[in-house]
Structure formats: C-alpha cells, structure tokens
C-alpha cells in the first residue's frame, strides 16, 4: 500500500517522522564509548561476586566446605543456600495450564544440583580476581543421582527424577485438536511426514548477563542495574521475593548489549545479588564470563517433532498432526514457564495455512541442562521448519512447484480474520502478497533456470522457500506464555513537558538494540507536533512508570507505540488549550508542529517553551484553572495483537567436497504494517536472518550422555561471522494493521523464516541424492554423512 | 607482587604503580582507568569486542596483560571522535545503521580503523574477511560492511 493514500491532508504539509529513516538517537553515545552497560556502572567501593558452579549434572549436595575460601585474601562473605534461606521467598513460575509442574526459582542450588553450571556458592570479595581465587578453595562433596541428558531417556519409566515432588520428568503436557485428523489423513490423496529435530541453541547476546546492585544505606534501598529486557517483571518478582516495596527497589535496564531472549527471564543471580546487597549493606557487581553465560543462561529449541500432513489431489493441505517432545532443561523458567517454547510449537504448526483438521500434542520434559526460555521466534522457528518441510514434501509428491503449493494453501486477502486449526486468529495481513513479492524480488523463474544449468554441471544448487506468520504486539486477551498470570497485555507511556519546554517520554519497554529511543520519539514527534530533537525517551526503568513488563514477543512498537500515540493525543489537547488562550484563537484552529502551536493559515504562533512558561512560571498570563500540568499518561492495550508475516527465498550451493553451504541469494518479503523507521526494520530483518542462518547451519549446544556441555566457548559454539552471511534483499509490504498506528511487531521474524528456507534449499540442492533434511543445524559433518549414506544406498539398490 | 606500568592511552600518559602481573589489559582499561568503552564479550579472544589499537595495530585487550602494554601507545574507542564530532568511520556507522545494541561496536570500530589504515578494502569479500574476527549478533553484518565500504571510499577520495 502506498503511504500517500493513507496520509491525511494536514499530514502532507508537515514533515513526517514515522516512515522516515531517521538516524538513531542512541548512536552518538554508543559509537564513542559513552554508552553505559550494566558492567560499566561504578558504584561506591563495590564488592564483586564469583560463583562456584556445579560440575555435576545431577547430584545431591552432601557437604560444602567453605572454610578456606572464607579466609582467602579480599573475601568479605561466602554464601550458600543455607546462609540465605531466610532472606527470600522462592519465585514460582505459576501457570493455569493443566498438567504443569512449576519448579521454584532459587538464588543458589539447595539440596541438589540439576545441571552443570548451576550456581551453588557465591563468594564476595574486593575484586573479581580475588573472588575467583577463593572459589577454587571451596570443596563440595556430591552424591551423583544419575544424569538425564536426552528427552527420550527422560520419559523412560526408570529415568532418575529431577524433581521428585513432581513424580515425573514430564513438566508440561498439552494437546490441541480440531476436526477429525485421522479420517482426513485416511482420505488424503498424498500423505507426507517424518521426524524433525532442532537441537539446543544459545541465544548468545554479545554482552554476557550482568548485574550491579547499588545499595543506598540511608533508605535501605537497592537499585538493581540489570542487563534485562524485562526490568519490570524482575522488579515485581524480586520485590515479592525479598519483601521489598517498589519504593525501595528500583530496577533499571541501562544500555543492554542484545538479549534475543537470553536476558528475558528472572535469573537466580539477580535474586542473589539483591539478597547479598541487603545482607552486607554494600553495592555488588557480577558479570558472567562467557562460559558462565553459555552454560547458565536460558537456552532455546531442543525439540523433536513427529509430524504428518495430508493433501487432497489438488494440493490442498487438509490435515496435520504432530507430536512434540521438548527438552526443557532442569527448571521451569520465571515467568514464562517451561511451556513457552514447546507449546508455542504446537500453537503455530498450522502456520499461515488453511488446514482443516489438526492434532498437536506436546510434552516438555526435564533434563539436566539449563532451562530453555524465550529465544527470538519462540517455537515458531521449529514449527515453521516442520510445516515448510512438509509443504515441500507435499509439493514433490504432487509434482507441484513449491511456490504454487503455498499459494493454494495460504489464507487469502478476503478470508481474514482467519482462525487457524490451532485456534490462533490472523488479522488481515499480506500472506500471498509476501509470497508473490519474494518470488519477484528473487527472480524465482530465473533462479530455477540457473539451477537447471548448475545441475547439468553436476553442481548441488538448491532453492528454498518459507512462508510464515506470527502473532505480535499481543494484548490482554491472550497470555504471552500459556496460562501465565502476569499482565503482558498493556504498556504505559508518560509524556511531560517541563518548565523549560523539554519533553520527556517515559516507557516501561526496554530496548536492547532495537532503537526504541529513536522510534518512539518519531511517533511522539508526529503525534504531539514536537520537534524530534527535543524529545528524550526514558525506558527500562521501573521508576519511570508505575507498572511495566518490558520488551519481548515483538510487542514494543505495537504496545509502546500505541501508548505513545494515545498519550501524545492527550497532551496535544492540553497544549492546544493553553495555546488557544495565548493566541486568542479557537482550539480547533490551532495546529501543533515542530514544537510550535500555530493558528492555522496565519503566522501567529507560540513555541512549546512559551506554552510551558505560561503554565508553570508565569502567574499572570493564564487564569489559575488553566494552568494544568503539561503531562499525560496512557496505558494502551491492543486487546488481541496483530499478525506479521513474511516469505523468505534463498538459493544455496553445497560444495560436494567440503560439504559447506554457500548462500548465493537471500530475499525476504515481509509485512510489518506501517513502518516506523525503514532503516531499523531492515536492520532487524538482517540480524534475525543471520541468527536463523546460524541455527540452520552451525549453532548447536552439544551435551554428551553425562549431560556435560561440550560447546561452551565461542570456538566450539560457532555463531556466524561476517563472511558467513550474505547480503540480503528486504522487500516491505506495508499493509496497515488494526492497532494504533497500524504497526506490527517485527523483531523476531528473520529468525523464524531462515532455518526453514535454508533447510528446504539444502534438501533441494541434495535432491539428486534423494536426501531428506529433517534435522538442524545442517553442518558439514551432517551433510557429509547424509551424502555418504545416500551413495551407499544407491550402490546397494541400483535403479 | 605489583609492577609499575606507564602507558599512553588516547594521548594521555598514565603511570600506575600497583599493577598485578595477571591483570588483563581489558580490565586495566575498564576498571583501573575507567575507560569502559572497551567491551568484554568472551575473554578468550574470539568475539573481538575488546579490540584496541596498540602502537597502531589492532589487538585483543582480553588476551594482553596490562604489563605488556607498558611503554606502548594505546588507542581505545574513546580516542576516536566525540558524540558531537564523530570521526569518519563512526559517522559512516551511524549513516548506515551499522550498530544496534552497540556492544560489539567499539571492537568493530577499532578493527575497522586498522583495516582502513592497512588494507585496500577494494571488495566486500575483503571487508568481510577483515571483520571475520569480530562477532556481532545484532546486525547480520550487512550494514557494518556498508559503513566500512563507504569509509574506504571516502578515504580514497581524500588521498
Ligand atoms: S573479549 Fe576479547 S576477544 Fe572477546
Ligand atoms: S550491534 Fe549488538 S552485537 Fe553488534
């Protein structure tokens, strides 16, 4: 949709900020080393924490000897679970889901350990170096209880139980059903299926998790600086756990070096650092080293999906069934629960398609690994991988082109809102438009010609497509995580003009790279008629707004943006009221733009600064009753949320000698509604796709049979570097959504589409060998193995 | 045992008398001198976030001891432009949206400065190869490559 057709006549006259590639407000400080990340805080004489972590996957703690550590140089305190037992209440990741067992979050392992890397003892010393020295002196006697390293073995009858009180390792079980899948599958012209798997992955933000607790002795108050994207949730949880009211506990997420979900849950170390700060009356610092970060931050995916899809003779998908086994790790994470990732897989398996009947069953089982938690895309990278593989298998069986089979099954323009078989409702979005636009931008026909030529030369060239839809900016009608009681459906904006005319806009959302300081200010500049440079955005501070949760689930443009629009409208009205006094004009004849109120069609104007002065500093100009504070606050709830969608097309080539995958072309056509800042949107797509490429080709947390992590460094856990990532073409379909501003969330999509598209492309490249790609990452070892097997099979059964 | 370290950092001389031999240069810059622009992402030499220039060459400050820097000239990100007056490369990063969370950025900039000084950077492959020791999890590298490409072009114009 072209933007001109949407603009109101008055809008055309003044420069609009929304939709423009405005340079980021954040950049000057971040480019010059003037950012302030949590580890950069410099509180007064801080103490430093180092943790002794478990090297055992599953063991009873028999004895902890900290005597030598206590007397080591620089050590101020050594804390075990016993020492802090009376200082907090456990934090429970509650959910109304049936068949769910909530494991408590504790600051330190108590009684037993359940994964390698779990924190057992905290040593607090005058420097991190000395704290780490003392950690070496701690002796712990363990009684091993048997490692549970894989989800398949965790469900065995004789498997050791991680949480004996649960009576099972299955922490969550759920099933979705619509229609008669069995009958539809029986009646299908073609049935395709298989066992699909995505291994465990680390979100791996470049900034490791980091916390600084600053103690204010005068008030017995703590300010926790945390590298978190949910500072509001952390504040509420710690407040409850420690019995500290919000007036004595402030939680701030300053500059945060990426999260992708790994900083989007409450962590034991956040509890511990606040407990210790209060206990010792001192400010404390802790930053994870990379080993700690990889082995104790929340992890992602780790699901096995047995799935089958049935098509009629015309290529219409009529039935889908799937059994998902999720390896959720040792604990259910707060607040999202261990259901977040695997349940989302079954919720989104039908994808953007009109599939008549569906059965999706999920079990999340405990293993001796760190908990899984939110990771960019949550559940949908896998659901999309499975569904898009099934679509391609169906196309192959029916002799249809992959684009054609998708076109026949996507929800079309006239059919929205559409409730898919798992119950999710898609509002009007350009599904088919994205498919067409991606095909066109990729030069799909030409790519197929290029492929035919490459094949003639014996080259393994493949083209992969993936279409998907996601739910973003979710309002109060749906819990972001299944059955979770926390309100994730609203966000507040509080905009004020002070006596100098400066504008401060406070939000509870918390940017960790998305550039919200810029995009939210763009919205306010337009809707308030302010000048962009005059607006300061405060976010990620629990003291800034009464209640908030944070930035996750592609919600901040929709919820934060919506709140910004509504609060701007309220404040605009107040400014107009004052201006109409000052200009002696009718309220309706006044227009606000560029930080000025002007009588339309004249050059009579007052600046916001003059308005502020009249309200606050001047006793004469306005009658007392007109001197209302220039501030407005609005809590916005989009109720349902809104859909975002995309199609990815990728062309790859597999080197038959090295089995490396080279990406020749990557195209994304996406619909995120009204774009606030196209430069930032493209950046989000690039980054998301890069992570999806990592998930598709290299990234894997390898745990051995003893549940020991074998890939805990950046040498062994490979994330993409610059030569691994191609240039991408991004095409935007801007179909306006129904929420305020017409925005849709878009920070996660890249990671959702890329693994599926690449899997399909590799399968297409390897089709001369008749190889099926059903496990990601497809690293060179795996591709080599598949090709060797295929060659062997061909030798055994010559055609 | 502690050692005296005298080092030039961003043109200012620092004489620090009580440096432990095991102190990493990254911690020395961040904690002793308070220059927190240099970031630490892995402490094992892979991510490149801690990259600084030592006598004009990019090094990993997490793999260098502070005592090794004695007598050297160090440039950190704080030694490039200021928020009011970004240098050429910083400006191109901003123009091309070459940063999101900004955590890898100081290392990217210091590596970029080294690349711009020492290599022709005629192709994107060369730029990507030059950046292969610096990890960024946010940008997908495309806009970082664009920023360096354009800084290299400006440098060619100005020669
Ligand atoms: S911190 Fe030095 S390379 Fe990662
Ligand atoms: S901008 Fe976040 S890691 Fe590069």
């Amino acid at each position: 949709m072209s933007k001109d057709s949407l603009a109101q006549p008055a809008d055309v006259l003044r420069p609009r900020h929304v939709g423009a590639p405005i340079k980021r407000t954040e950049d000057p400080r971040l480019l010059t080393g003037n950012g302030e990340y949590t580890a950069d805080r410099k509180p007064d004489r801080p103490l430093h924490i180092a943790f002794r972590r478990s090297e055992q996957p599953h063991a009873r703690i028999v004895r902890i000897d900290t005597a030598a550590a206590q007397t080591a140089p620089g050590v101020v305190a050594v804390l075990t679970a016993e020492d802090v037992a009376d200082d907090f209440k456990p934090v429970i990741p509650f959910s109304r889901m049936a068949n769910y067992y909530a494991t408590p979050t504790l600051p330190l392992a108590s009684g037993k350990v359940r994964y390698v890397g779990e924190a057992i003892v905290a040593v607090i010393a005058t420097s991190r170096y000395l704290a780490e020295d003392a950690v070496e002196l701690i002796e712990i006697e363990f009684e091993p209880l048997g490692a549970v390293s894989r989800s398949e073995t965790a469900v065995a009858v004789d498997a050791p139980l991680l949480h004996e009180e649960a009576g099972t390792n299955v922490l969550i079980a759920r099933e979705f059903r619509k229609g008669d899948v069995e009958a539809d599958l029986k009646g299908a012209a073609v049935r395709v299926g298989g066992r699909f798997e995505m291994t465990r992955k680390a979100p791996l933000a470049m900034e490791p998790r980091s916390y600084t607790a600053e103690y204010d002795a005068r008030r017995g108050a703590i300010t926790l600086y945390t590298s978190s994207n949910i500072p509001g949730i952390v504040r509420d949880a710690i407040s409850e756990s420690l019995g500290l009211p919000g007036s004595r506990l402030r939680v701030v997420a300053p500059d945060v070096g990426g999260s992708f979900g790994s900083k989007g849950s409450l962590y034991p170390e956040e509890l511990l650092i606040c407990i210790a700060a209060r206990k010792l009356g001192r400010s404390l610092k802790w930053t994870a080293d990379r080993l700690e970060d990889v082995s104790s931050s929340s992890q992602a995916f780790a699901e096995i999906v047995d799935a089958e899809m049935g098509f009629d003779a015309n290529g219409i998908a009529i039935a889908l069934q799937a059994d998902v086994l999720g390896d959720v790790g040792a604990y259910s994470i707060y607040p999202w629960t261990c259901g977040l990732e695997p349940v989302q897989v079954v919720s989104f398996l039908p994808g953007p398609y009109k599939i008549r009947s569906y059965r999706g069953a999920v079990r999340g089982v405990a293993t001796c690994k760190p908990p899984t938690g939110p990771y960019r895309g949550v559940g949908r990278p896998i659901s999309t991988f499975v569904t898009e593989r099934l679509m391609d298998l169906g196309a192959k069986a029916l002799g249809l082109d992959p684009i054609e089979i998708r076109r026949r099954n996507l929800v079309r323009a006239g059919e929205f809102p559409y409730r898919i078989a798992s119950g999710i409702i898609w509002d009007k979005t350009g599904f088919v438009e994205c498919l067409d636009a991606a095909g066109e931008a990729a030069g799909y026909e030409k790519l197929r010609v290029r492929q035919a030529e490459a094949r003639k030369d014996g080259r393994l060239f493949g083209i992969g497509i993936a279409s998907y839809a996601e739910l973003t900016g979710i309002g109060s009608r749906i819990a972001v995580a299944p059955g979770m009681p926390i309100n994730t459906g609203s966000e507040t904006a509080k905009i004020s003009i002070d006596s100098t005319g400066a504008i401060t806009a406070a939000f509870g959302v918390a940017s960790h790279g998305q550039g919200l300081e810029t995009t939210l200010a763009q919205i306010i500049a337009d809707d308030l008629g302010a000048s962009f440079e005059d607006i300061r955005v405060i976010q990620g501070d629990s003291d800034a707004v009464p209640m908030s949760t944070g930035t996750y689930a592609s919600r901040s443009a929709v919820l934060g943006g919506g709140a910004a629009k509504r609060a701007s409208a309220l404040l605009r009205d107040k400014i107009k009221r004052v201006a109409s006094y000052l200009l002696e004009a009718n309220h309706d004849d006044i227009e606000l733009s560029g930080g000025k109120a002007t009588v339309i069609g004249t050059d009579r104007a007052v600046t916001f600064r003059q308005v502020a002065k009249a309200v606050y500093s001047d006793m004469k100009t306005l009658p007392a009753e007109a001197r209302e504070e220039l501030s407005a606050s609005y809590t916005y709830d989009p109720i349902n949320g809104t859909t975002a969608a995309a199609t990815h097309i990728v062309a790859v080539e597999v080197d038959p000698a090295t089995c490396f995958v080279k990406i020749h072309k990557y195209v994304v056509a996406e619909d995120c509604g009204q774009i606030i800042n196209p430069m930032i949107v493209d950046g989000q797509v690039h980054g998301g796709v890069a992570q999806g490429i990592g998930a598709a080709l290299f990234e894997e947390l390898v745990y051995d049979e003893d549940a020991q992590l074998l890939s805990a460094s950046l040498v062994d856990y490979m994330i993409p570097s610059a030569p691994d990532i191609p240039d991408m073409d991004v095409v935007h379909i801007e179909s306006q959504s129904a929420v305020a501003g017409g925005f849709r969330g878009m920070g996660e999509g890249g990671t959702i589409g890329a693994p599926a598209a690449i899997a399909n492309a590799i399968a297409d490249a390897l089709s001369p060998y008749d190889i099926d790609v059903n496990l990601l990452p497809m690293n060179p070892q795996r591709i080599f193995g598949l090709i060797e097997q295929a060659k062997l099979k061909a030798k055994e059964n010559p055609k | 045992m502690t050692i005296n370290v005298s080092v030039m950092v961003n043109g200012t001389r620092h004489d620090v008398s009580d440096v432990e031999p095991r102190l990493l240069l990254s911690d020395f810059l961040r904690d002793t001198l308070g220059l927190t622009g240099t970031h630490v992402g892995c402490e094992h030499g892979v991510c490149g976030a801690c990259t600084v220039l030592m006598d004009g060459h990019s090094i990993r400050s997490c793999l260098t001891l502070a005592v090794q820097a004695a007598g050297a000239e160090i440039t950190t990100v704080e030694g490039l432009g200021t928020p009011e007056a970004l240098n050429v490369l910083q400006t191109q990063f901003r123009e091309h949206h070459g940063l999101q969370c900004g955590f890898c950025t100081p290392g990217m900039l210091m590596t970029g400065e080294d690349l711009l000084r020492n290599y022709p950077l005629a192709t994107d492959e060369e730029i990507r190869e030059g950046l292969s020791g610096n990890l960024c999890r946010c940008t997908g590298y495309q806009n970082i490559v664009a920023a360096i490409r354009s800084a290299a072009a400006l440098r060619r114009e100005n020669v």
Side-chain angles (χ1 to χ4, degrees):
Chain A
M1 208 181 284
S2 98
K3 268 194 233 102
D4 287 345
S5 66
L6 301 163
Q8 305 297 318
D11 292 340
V12 183
L13 300 174
R14 61 176 131 95
R16 282 175 51 97
H17 295 86
V18 168
I22 290 182
K23 305 277 166 279
R24 300 199 321 165
T25 311
E26 296 83 345
D27 290 355
R29 72 166 187 271
L30 298 180
L31 282 163
T32 52
N34 285 294
E36 186 177 69
Y37 299 83
T38 298
D40 303 342
R41 291 289 306 171
K42 300 180 184 83
D44 181 33
R45 292 169 304 118
L47 298 175
H48 299 262
I49 305 178
F51 290 97
R52 166 69 192 268
R53 293 177 183 274
S54 175
E55 66 272 10
Q56 291 283 331
H58 188 199
R60 200 165 67 79
I61 301 169
V62 179
R63 192 179 55 87
I64 304 178
D65 182 354
T66 61
Q70 309 254 21
T71 57
V75 170
V76 174
V78 179
L79 300 175
T80 63
E82 213 172 296
D83 301 318
V84 298
D86 298 331
D87 298 323
F88 72 98
K89 282 197 310 234
V91 181
I92 313 288
F94 182 76
S95 165
R96 289 183 283 265
M97 280 183 294
N99 304 315
Y100 164 66
Y101 180 79
T103 65
T105 302
L106 306 173
L108 293 166
S110 171
K112 69 187 237 177
V113 289
R114 296 179 177 87
Y115 66 88
V116 174
E118 187 170 2
I120 305 171
V121 186
V123 175
I124 298 162
T126 51
S127 86
R128 176 69 174 252
Y129 285 74
L130 294 174
E132 287 187 16
D133 288 346
V135 162
E136 298 295 317
L137 305 174
I138 295 170
E139 278 184 37
I140 304 179
E141 190 186 321
F142 292 104
E143 177 192 323
L145 296 171
V148 180
S149 73
R150 287 188 299 124
S151 51
E152 295 106 310
T153 48
V155 290
V157 258
D158 57 347
L161 293 182
L162 266 76
H163 300 272
E164 291 83 359
E165 325 76 58
T168 167
N169 283 329
V170 180
L171 297 184
I172 165 86
R174 213 167 167 187
E175 190 173 58
F176 293 71
R177 261 177 192 281
K178 179 171 179 259
D180 190 342
V181 182
E182 288 75 14
D184 282 346
L185 279 175
K186 224 175 250 161
V190 164
R191 292 168 73 156
V192 293
R195 163 165 281 213
F196 301 89
E197 180 174 355
M198 260 172 112
T199 58
R200 230 168 217 266
K201 211 169 128 16
L204 213 116
M206 292 320 300
E207 177 204 29
R209 284 193 293 121
S210 180
Y211 310 120
T212 298
E214 305 190 4
Y215 189 75
D216 175 353
R218 284 177 309 144
R219 297 194 299 121
I222 294 171
T223 300
L224 174 67
Y225 285 83
T226 168
S227 61
S228 176
N229 53 286
I230 53 161
I233 291 176
V234 168
R235 199 271 302 257
D236 292 359
I238 295 180
S239 161
E240 171 96 25
S241 174
L242 271 66
L244 261 182
S247 54
R248 283 166 53 212
L249 176 67
R250 174 177 168 216
V251 176
V252 183
D255 287 323
V256 174
S259 164
F260 317 113
S262 64
K263 297 167 180 166
S265 302
L266 175 76
Y267 280 96
E269 294 93 343
E270 280 170 309
L271 281 176
L272 187 276
I273 199 168
C274 292
I275 291 169
R278 181 167 68 176
K279 230 180 162 58
L280 304 174
R282 293 287 298 270
S283 295
L284 298 173
K285 293 187 77 169
W286 175 74
T287 299
D289 64 26
R290 186 49 69 183
L291 169 65
E292 287 183 291
D293 193 65
V294 175
S295 61
S296 70
S297 296
S298 68
Q299 302 181 343
F301 303 161
E303 280 126 347
I304 298 171
V305 183
D306 288 301
E308 188 175 16
M309 196 183 271
F311 295 86
D312 71 11
N314 293 321
I316 306 297
I318 50 174
L320 171 63
Q321 70 168 342
D323 290 281
V324 177
L325 188 61
D327 161 0
V328 299
Y331 296 95
S332 182
I333 206 156
Y334 186 89
W336 315 109
T337 81
C338 61
L340 178 71
E341 163 71 28
V343 173
Q344 192 115 301
V345 177
V346 279
S347 297
F348 284 88
L349 266 169
Y353 302 116
K354 298 173 285 182
I355 303 171
R356 188 164 73 206
S357 59
Y358 177 56
R359 184 187 67 79
V362 56
R363 281 178 301 165
V365 301
T367 58
C368 299
K369 298 173 195 169
T372 56
Y375 171 64
R376 202 173 198 170
V378 185
R380 291 156 302 195
I382 303 173
S383 69
T384 304
F385 166 51
V386 172
T387 303
E388 292 303 287
R389 283 297 299 133
L390 293 171
M391 276 289 155
D392 267 22
L393 292 172
K396 195 170 165 190
L398 287 152
L400 285 173
D401 184 272
I403 288 211
E404 181 53 29
I405 198 162
R406 287 173 173 80
R407 193 193 312 283
R408 290 186 192 180
N409 287 287
L410 286 170
V411 180
R412 309 189 74 84
E415 296 167 335
F416 296 101
Y418 187 90
R419 180 190 288 268
I420 55 170
S422 57
I424 296 205
I425 297 171
W426 300 134
D427 64 342
K428 190 165 187 315
T429 320
F431 290 1
V432 180
E433 291 80 350
C434 286
L435 180 72
D436 288 341
E440 197 183 319
Y444 184 70
E445 307 297 331
K446 278 205 202 109
L447 271 183
R448 286 288 175 205
V449 173
R450 191 169 153 197
Q451 175 179 42
E453 278 160 13
R455 286 234 167 113
K456 264 190 239 148
D457 301 337
R459 286 159 54 201
L460 301 171
F461 187 99
I463 303 161
I465 301 168
S467 295
Y468 66 84
E470 55 172 327
L471 203 54
T472 70
I474 297 173
S476 60
R477 188 160 293 163
I478 313 163
V480 163
M484 193 183 72
I486 291 178
N487 170 23
T488 49
S490 59
E491 271 302 331
T492 303
K494 190 172 170 211
I495 310 178
S496 320
I497 302 183
D498 68 16
S499 57
T500 70
I503 302 169
T504 304
F507 293 86
V509 295
S511 189
H512 35 287
Q514 297 90 337
L516 291 174
E517 281 173 53
T518 307
T519 46
L520 293 172
Q522 285 179 261
I523 295 171
I524 295 168
D526 279 357
D527 284 39
L528 193 59
S531 99
F532 177 79
E533 293 72 26
D534 290 347
I535 302 166
R536 174 176 176 227
V537 170
I538 296 178
Q539 35 134 27
D541 183 341
S542 71
D543 272 8
V545 290
M547 184 272 170
S548 160
T549 53
T551 290
Y552 50 87
S554 297
R555 71 197 291 272
S556 291
V558 175
L559 279 83
K565 285 187 85 71
R566 300 279 201 262
S568 294
L570 294 174
L571 184 52
R572 194 183 168 84
D573 233 41
K574 285 192 176 178
I575 298 170
K576 275 192 180 184
R577 275 204 290 276
V578 177
S580 73
Y581 266 104
L582 300 179
L583 296 165
E584 293 174 345
N586 225 320
H587 184 277
D588 294 339
D589 293 338
I590 291 174
E591 191 196 44
L592 307 188
S593 169
K596 271 198 304 211
T598 312
V599 181
I600 297 172
T602 73
D603 54 6
R604 278 158 54 214
V606 283
T607 62
F608 284 10
R609 190 160 170 197
Q610 288 169 311
V611 168
K613 207 161 171 233
V615 170
Y616 298 116
S617 317
D618 210 335
M619 295 200 293
K620 299 265 159 55
T621 325
L622 293 175
E625 68 276 11
R627 293 208 298 260
E628 45 180 348
E629 189 186 317
L630 293 173
S631 97
S633 162
Y634 191 90
T635 299
Y636 177 66
D637 176 351
I639 309 292
N640 283 317
T642 180
T643 310
T647 294
H648 292 209
I649 297 186
V650 57
V652 308
E653 185 163 352
V654 179
D655 182 326
T658 63
C659 295
F660 273 82
V661 175
K662 166 132 186 84
I663 299 174
H664 286 303
K665 192 176 205 55
Y666 206 108
V667 173
V668 177
E670 62 91 40
D671 181 0
C672 71
Q674 168 67 53
I675 288 179
I676 302 169
N677 186 326
M679 181 185 84
I680 288 177
V681 166
D682 283 352
Q684 288 290 319
V685 174
H686 296 163
V689 168
Q691 288 186 19
I693 290 172
L697 298 179
F698 336 100
E699 292 180 37
E700 181 170 1
L701 288 167
V702 182
Y703 281 86
D704 70 8
E705 287 300 311
D706 294 323
Q708 293 284 346
L709 177 57
L710 305 182
S711 54
S713 78
L714 292 184
V715 181
D716 303 300
Y717 188 86
M718 286 239 300
I719 66 164
S721 65
D724 301 320
I725 302 296
D727 268 334
M728 303 158 214
D729 291 329
V730 187
V731 185
H732 307 288
I733 313 289
E734 284 185 80
S735 77
Q736 300 257 320
S737 78
V739 304
F743 313 132
R744 303 174 191 275
M746 56 76 49
E748 301 178 79
T751 310
I752 298 174
I758 292 171
N760 279 340
I762 296 174
D764 190 38
L766 299 179
S767 59
Y769 293 108
D770 200 20
I771 284 171
D772 204 8
V773 172
N774 49 18
L775 190 155
L776 292 179
M778 262 295 136
N779 56 31
Q781 298 93 292
R782 291 207 171 102
I783 293 180
F784 177 77
L786 288 172
I787 294 180
E788 287 305 299
Q789 267 172 28
K791 283 182 182 163
L792 213 66
K793 212 164 89 188
K795 231 184 250 162
E796 282 164 11
N797 320 303
K799 291 226 171 89
Chain B
M1 182 186 78
T2 56
I3 290 175
N4 285 353
V5 171
S6 167
V7 56
M8 286 285 273
V9 181
N10 302 330
T12 304
R13 191 188 156 115
H14 297 269
D15 293 300
V16 184
S17 58
D18 55 350
V19 176
E20 265 198 81
R22 64 174 175 172
L23 185 70
L24 299 177
L25 178 57
S26 49
D27 290 337
F28 176 79
L29 291 170
R30 289 179 52 81
D31 300 336
T32 313
L33 302 187
L35 296 170
T36 50
T38 299
H39 294 161
V40 174
C42 72
E43 275 188 305
H44 53 255
V46 181
C47 75
C50 66
T51 305
V52 299
L53 301 182
M54 181 148 113
D55 296 328
H57 297 286
S58 62
I59 58 149
R60 307 284 207 224
S61 63
C62 77
L63 294 185
T64 309
L65 297 170
V67 294
Q68 288 175 283
E73 233 173 272
I74 304 284
T75 309
T76 68
V77 69
E78 287 94 341
L80 306 178
T82 64
E84 297 71 35
L86 299 175
N87 83 2
V88 175
L89 185 57
Q90 288 167 320
T91 305
Q92 292 314 309
F93 264 67
R94 186 166 191 223
E95 289 292 319
H96 292 274
H97 189 33
L99 68 157
Q100 291 183 23
C101 78
F103 196 80
C104 71
T105 310
M108 288 286 177
L109 290 169
M110 300 323 287
T111 301
E113 292 289 341
D114 186 346
L115 292 176
L116 285 166
R117 263 179 232 180
N118 298 310
Y119 300 89
L121 304 181
T123 63
D124 278 7
E125 281 68 48
E126 199 187 336
I127 296 171
R128 285 182 184 271
E129 209 45 60
L131 290 176
S132 63
N134 289 71
L135 298 176
C136 173
R137 193 59 158 166
C138 296
T139 62
Y141 303 103
Q142 187 157 332
N143 292 342
I144 295 178
V145 172
I148 293 181
R149 186 196 301 132
S150 128
L154 287 171
R155 180 194 54 182
R156 276 192 291 277
E157 276 167 30
N158 293 336
V159 172

